[in-house]
Amino acid sequence: MYVCSCFGITEQQVREHADRGACTPRKVASACKAGTDCGSCVRRIQSLLGRGACPRRELIDSGAPDVLRAEPEPLAAEADAQEPADLRAAA
């Protein structure tokens, strides 16, 4: 059955993209464009994806604090590469 009539995407194709790691409607859209035109299929895509099988979602649900942080901390090598003037300005 078709999920996205704008791009001819089927339920099976959405499930295949989910199996390959597209565990959100946005990731499915990136993989096949479903949900990017009229948007009427986004809720159906959400229902096909369900609440499981997404590693990031599982980490969030388990309460992992680092998953929700917007910016990752710089690597030690990146911090060492800063110029001394940059370090004085930051202090």
Side-chain angles (χ1 to χ4, degrees), residues 3-83:
V3 173
C4 177
S5 58
C6 296
F7 294 103
I9 305 300
T10 64
E11 290 181 1
Q12 182 61 34
Q13 288 172 303
V14 170
R15 287 186 185 105
E16 288 171 4
H17 288 300
D19 290 343
R20 291 187 200 121
C23 58
T24 66
R26 186 171 290 180
K27 288 182 181 181
V28 170
S30 295
C32 65
K33 295 187 179 180
T36 61
D37 194 25
C38 76
S40 66
C41 59
V42 173
R43 289 191 187 270
R44 179 69 183 135
I45 293 169
Q46 287 173 326
S47 69
L48 288 170
L49 296 174
R51 283 286 299 159
C54 184
R56 185 172 186 272
R57 184 180 299 135
E58 290 169 7
L59 287 172
I60 291 169
D61 290 346
S62 71
D66 293 337
V67 176
L68 301 176
R69 191 172 57 230
E71 294 182 24
E73 293 181 17
L75 299 174
E78 291 173 356
D80 292 341
Q82 287 183 349
E83 295 292 324

